[in-house]
Amino acid sequence: MSGEKKSHILAISAHAGDMDLTAGAVLTKYTQEGHKVTMLHLTPGEKGHPRLTPDEYRKQKIEEAYQFADIIGAEVRFFDYKDAELPVDEKIKYEVADVIREVKPDIIITHWKDSIHKDHSNTYSIVQDAHFYAALKTIERELPAHYTRRMYFAENWEDMEGFEPEVFVDIPEDAFETWVKGMNAYAFARGETYGFPYIEYYKALTIVRGAPVNFKRAQAFAVPKGALNRRSQWLD
């Protein structure tokens, strides 16, 4: 993509590890092509370990998130909210809007709305309003308004009700291998918490999503209903 305008992708997740697994291969693809990626985790996801205390696991998850970001070439940020207690209020919506105005992304990736995990559904709601607030010039904040023209919802096994994949992004081999290395930074992804085979699941899903569209591997995304970016190219 030499000579082309470089874009900025903002991936917003409820917990450290969410966007890393569900959109991480695409994030890696684009950092390797010179684009910028910022990962914003609203909570560390610190209550998801059967043996560590939330304080212990919080520290570990934050370290793992920075390791993942370092491996794929992304930046990472955290909000100071608690796992399983993520609110949906104006305070957090404006906090996310302020980040959007600061980093000025061309693309936002976040959770789909229907999930078995309330933090995921809450993140969807937070981001929808934050996207709107960030773009509205009549809402006066410290930084000027910024409109992010594209939004995508990542495919998460916990967020599948009503999820319709419409945009498929092919994953080159080097990006795939780097992403797998990054996923291995997370203990939960390695199956060391409750045993779910996250890494193998999401590796296999790239083949499932790639094969019907003639890609060796792909990650799939839903788009907002009626969106102008429906079925369009990822970056153009």
Side-chain angles (χ1 to χ4, degrees):
M1 302 184 72
S2 177
E4 295 183 11
K5 176 185 178 293
K6 300 304 181 183
S7 296
H8 192 162
I9 301 173
L10 175 62
I12 305 174
S13 60
H15 317 100
D18 289 337
M19 293 297 116
D20 313 55
L21 273 61
T22 61
V26 168
L27 301 180
T28 305
K29 168 190 172 83
Y30 283 101
T31 59
Q32 290 182 345
E33 294 185 355
H35 299 284
K36 187 173 182 179
V37 168
T38 299
M39 305 185 73
L40 173 61
H41 305 302
L42 303 186
T43 84
E46 73 277 7
K47 295 178 181 174
H49 201 293
R51 295 173 296 281
L52 298 180
T53 67
D55 285 344
E56 291 170 333
Y57 196 37
R58 172 188 173 84
K59 180 180 178 181
Q60 178 176 316
K61 284 293 292 292
I62 291 173
E63 291 175 351
E64 291 169 343
Y66 276 97
Q67 289 173 20
F68 178 89
D70 183 63
I71 289 169
I72 74 162
E75 295 183 0
V76 65
R77 299 184 180 202
F78 277 90
F79 279 1
D80 194 27
Y81 290 94
K82 294 183 179 180
D83 184 17
E85 301 177 41
L86 188 64
V88 181
D89 58 28
E90 296 305 289
K91 178 177 181 291
I92 190 170
K93 291 175 183 178
Y94 278 111
E95 288 172 342
V96 174
D98 287 343
V99 172
I100 294 171
R101 288 187 173 193
E102 177 190 350
V103 305
K104 299 179 174 61
D106 302 283
I107 292 173
I108 292 174
I109 308 174
T110 193
H111 292 276
W112 175 240
K113 63 181 180 179
D114 294 320
S115 177
I116 62 175
H117 198 311
K118 76 180 189 73
D119 283 353
H120 294 191
S121 298
N122 288 355
T123 298
Y124 171 91
S125 299
I126 291 163
V127 174
Q128 303 316 296
D129 283 353
H131 174 257
F132 176 71
Y133 294 167
L136 197 59
K137 294 180 180 180
T138 50
I139 293 181
E140 296 184 3
R141 304 287 289 177
E142 182 177 347
L143 296 171
H146 172 76
Y147 174 65
T148 303
R149 62 193 181 95
R150 298 190 184 279
M151 183 178 295
Y152 297 95
F153 307 113
E155 184 171 14
N156 187 309
W157 75 272
E158 294 178 302
D159 306 352
M160 292 306 295
E161 184 175 351
F163 181 88
E164 296 183 11
E166 295 194 71
V167 175
F168 301 82
V169 184
D170 67 303
I171 308 301
E173 193 67 23
D174 187 46
F176 176 78
E177 293 176 358
T178 302
W179 168 61
V180 172
K181 180 181 178 183
M183 286 194 293
N184 272 282
Y186 282 101
F188 84 90
R190 300 192 301 265
E192 296 175 13
T193 54
Y194 291 99
F196 187 88
Y198 285 96
I199 293 174
E200 295 306 313
Y201 177 90
Y202 285 105
K203 284 169 57 179
L205 188 58
T206 64
I207 296 174
V208 171
R209 290 310 187 191
V213 290
N214 296 315
F215 294 146
K216 181 178 179 181
R217 296 186 179 94
Q219 285 190 311
F221 300 84
V223 298
K225 185 177 180 180
L228 296 176
N229 59 350
R230 185 177 294 271
R231 296 185 182 87
S232 67
Q233 293 182 6
W234 181 268
L235 293 175
D236 57 14

